[in-house]
């Protein structure tokens, strides 16, 4: 059965700072794709030392992005998993200038990741066979209809959201992306 992901509005400056570090983004991606890990297994996978990773894991835990798995942790070996949530950026008018700067830096970092994913898709989609899907569209919506469409899309993502531990046999980790933007450069059109 699919998890129902909680909606988390990222309005806390501490959360912005926690997400603003590139290594923390890599940790979150690794946990999301591969499932629970220790600082040692993350160190091997990410090419970082365990002391550095332990610090960044604690920052992610403190800000509610990951949690320890007590039943798997023994002695000094702590196991971590990502907390599944629908993370939503606040609008520009909801954050102070410092937080907006952090969010802009995170966005810049993420744009590079997104462009690399798009390049991979368009150069390798044949290699992925039935696992690769793409769609593009154009429609005309009011702002209210766009809000409704977005929420329906997020509900669909939530319905099919699974962690590596919850995935069905034969499941693969898949990147899913969605964005909208006006087709016209004219903001009044």
């Amino acid at each position: 059965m699919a998890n129902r992901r909680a909606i988390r509005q990222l309005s806390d400056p501490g959360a912005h700072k926690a997400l603003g570090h590139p290594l923390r983004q890599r940790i979150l991606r690794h946990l999301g794709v591969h499932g629970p890990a220790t600082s040692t297994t993350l160190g091997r996978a990410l090419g970082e030392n365990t002391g550095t990773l332990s610090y960044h894991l604690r920052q992610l835990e403190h800000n509610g992005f990951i949690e320890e798995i007590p039943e798997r942790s023994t002695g000094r070996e702590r196991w971590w998993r990502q907390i599944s949530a629908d993370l939503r950026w606040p609008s520009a008018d909801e954050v102070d200038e410092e937080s907006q700067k952090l969010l802009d830096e995170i966005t810049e970092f993420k744009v590079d990741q997104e462009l690399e994913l798009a390049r991979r898709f368009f150069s390798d989609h044949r290699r992925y066979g039935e696992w690769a899907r793409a769609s593009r569209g154009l429609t005309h919506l009011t702002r209210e209809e766009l809000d409704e469409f977005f929420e329906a899309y997020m509900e669909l993502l939530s319905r099919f959201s699974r962690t590596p531990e919850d995935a069905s046999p034969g499941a693969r980790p898949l990147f899913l992306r969605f964005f909208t933007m006006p087709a016209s450069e004219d903001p009044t059109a």
Side-chain angles (χ1 to χ4, degrees), residues 138-184:
L138 174 68
T139 189
H140 295 77
L141 301 174
T142 65
R143 175 62 199 278
E144 292 77 20
E145 290 169 330
L146 175 59
D147 290 345
E148 184 181 346
F149 182 92
F150 179 76
E151 290 304 325
Y153 174 80
M154 296 309 293
E155 176 61 30
L156 185 65
L157 281 181
S158 181
R159 185 173 136 214
F160 285 95
S161 177
R162 289 163 181 78
T163 65
E165 301 120 317
D166 297 330
S168 301
R172 293 179 67 177
L174 298 171
F175 291 116
L176 305 171
R177 298 297 185 261
F178 167 80
F179 66 91
T180 68
M181 61 187 208
S184 169

Side-chain angles (χ1 to χ4, degrees), residues 12 40-41 59 63 74 128 132 145-146 175:
D12 174 31
T40 302
T41 57
Q59 294 302 308
N63 287 283
T74 57
Y128 301 132
E145 290 169 330
L146 175 59
F175 291 116

Side-chain angles (χ1 to χ4, degrees), residues 30-31 35-47 50 53 77 79:
H30 185 85
L31 293 174
T38 65
S39 60
T40 302
T41 57
L42 284 166
R44 281 193 300 268
L46 302 177
T50 58
L53 283 164
E77 183 178 67
W79 282 85

Side-chain angles (χ1 to χ4, degrees), residues 17 38 50 78 81 88-89 102 104 127 152 160 167 181:
K17 189 172 181 181
T38 65
T50 58
R78 297 176 74 186
R81 70 176 152 228
R88 308 247 178 132
W89 296 118
L102 280 169
D104 290 345
R127 181 167 67 103
F160 285 95
M181 61 187 208

Side-chain angles (χ1 to χ4, degrees), residues 1 17 21 25-26 33-34 42 50 52 56-57 75 78 80 90 92 94 97 105 123 127 136 145 164 168 188:
M1 172 135 183
K17 189 172 181 181
H21 196 284
Q25 290 289 323
R26 291 173 54 213
V33 170
H34 301 286
L42 284 166
T50 58
T52 299
H56 289 289
L57 288 165
R78 297 176 74 186
W80 302 96
E94 294 177 308
E97 191 173 318
E105 289 172 8
S123 66
R127 181 167 67 103
R136 296 182 343 175
E145 290 169 330
S168 301
T188 62

